[in-house]
Amino acid sequence: MKIKVEFFLLIFGLITGYIIFYFSLFVTPPERNMGDLVRIMYIHVPLAWVSMISFTLVFLFSILYLFKKDLKLDIYSESAAEIGVLYNFLTLITGMLWAKAVWGHYWVWDPRLTTTLILFFLYSSYLLLRRFIETPDKRARFSSVLGVIIYVDVPFVYFSVKLWRSVHPSPFTPGDVLITPSMRIALFLSFIPYLFLFLFLFLLRYKIGYRLFEKLERA
């Protein structure tokens, strides 16, 4: 029996997730000002990173489709967009939980939060557009153009804390959050299980999309 790649990605994601969860929960120290609340960083930050990777893949696959007109590339774009929206939504939720504890409110109209929320609506609109266009070629063309245009918000999310006055902490900027060496290691390592999970979901979603495409081709 042939073992699929997705199985290994899921197993690696679960194993590394358990190890890093233990490391971030029991090995790393609490932050000087936030205490143990800082541990949500090991969930919130990698979720945000992977969502940015997902939307970057949508951008790249969209450009490739506009040049090559290969519908497989459009399926890749859709797969990355769906998972990116999921990760982006979880980023917002974990950020709101942190904000309630630190700022006393679930939401403030901070530049980083606002641009991230806009990102969620933009890519949700991208997925919604695809549901209203039945012709595969036309859907792929319109979606690819939109996937290129809306990517402009991704750099704004990244640079928002530098472009505008922001209360959102930047973990790598001294004075915002006191990061010890072990905390920095845990933060970078926490990216690994979320990446494995992304790859697992991405390949699974692509295969589902490709099978639907094949059925439509044979119909």
Side-chain angles (χ1 to χ4, degrees), residues 96-108:
M96 289 169 65
L97 293 174
W98 180 89
K100 176 62 176 177
V102 175
W103 299 329
H105 301 281
Y106 284 110
W107 187 265
V108 294

Side-chain angles (χ1 to χ4, degrees), residues 2-219:
K2 185 178 180 181
I3 301 178
K4 296 182 179 180
V5 176
E6 299 95 295
F7 174 78
F8 286 108
L9 291 172
L10 180 60
I11 295 300
F12 289 151
L14 292 174
I15 293 174
T16 56
Y18 175 80
I19 295 171
I20 294 165
F21 175 79
Y22 178 87
F23 185 79
S24 61
L25 193 62
F26 297 106
V27 178
T28 60
E31 202 266 343
R32 181 176 60 185
N33 299 314
M34 287 187 282
D36 286 322
L37 182 64
V38 76
R39 302 189 193 283
I40 200 171
M41 171 181 70
Y42 305 119
I43 301 173
H44 176 72
V45 174
L47 282 171
W49 285 347
V50 178
S51 70
M52 296 297 105
I53 291 174
S54 303
F55 297 142
T56 300
L57 288 176
V58 176
F59 174 72
L60 294 176
F61 287 131
S62 295
I63 291 178
L64 287 173
Y65 173 80
L66 292 173
F67 281 99
K68 295 188 175 183
K69 307 299 182 183
D70 186 348
L71 286 174
K72 291 180 182 178
L73 294 168
D74 181 58
I75 300 173
Y76 279 129
S77 295
E78 182 181 23
S79 303
E82 287 188 0
I83 303 168
V85 168
L86 172 63
Y87 272 71
N88 183 249
F89 176 74
L90 294 174
T91 299
L92 289 168
I93 294 298
T94 52
M96 289 169 65
L97 293 174
W98 180 89
K100 176 62 176 177
V102 175
W103 299 329
H105 301 281
Y106 284 110
W107 187 265
V108 294
W109 292 102
D110 174 81
R112 172 62 64 85
L113 275 68
T114 303
T115 51
T116 303
L117 181 63
I118 291 172
L119 202 63
F120 174 77
F121 286 129
L122 287 174
Y123 282 91
S124 295
S125 300
Y126 168 92
L127 295 174
L128 189 62
L129 171 70
R130 300 183 63 88
R131 300 296 178 266
F132 285 99
I133 304 176
E134 296 183 358
T135 308
D137 291 331
K138 186 177 180 181
R139 178 175 61 237
R141 187 170 65 254
F142 276 64
S143 299
S144 296
V145 172
L146 184 60
V148 172
I149 294 173
I150 63 179
Y151 185 74
V152 70
D153 189 46
V154 172
F156 277 109
V157 173
Y158 181 79
F159 291 108
S160 58
V161 293
K162 298 180 180 179
L163 292 174
W164 299 286
R165 186 176 180 180
S166 173
V167 295
H168 188 283
S170 177
F172 306 106
T173 303
D176 288 336
V177 180
L178 183 62
I179 299 293
T180 65
S182 63
M183 292 167 69
R184 189 180 296 273
I185 292 171
L187 182 59
F188 279 107
L189 290 178
S190 65
F191 171 75
I192 296 173
Y194 290 95
L195 182 60
F196 276 129
L197 181 58
F198 165 77
L199 293 173
F200 165 72
L201 294 173
F202 179 73
L203 290 178
L204 202 63
R205 177 60 183 83
Y206 172 76
K207 288 186 176 182
I208 294 172
Y210 188 71
R211 286 170 186 168
L212 291 173
F213 169 72
E214 285 184 323
K215 286 182 180 180
L216 290 174
E217 285 288 295
R218 289 194 296 266

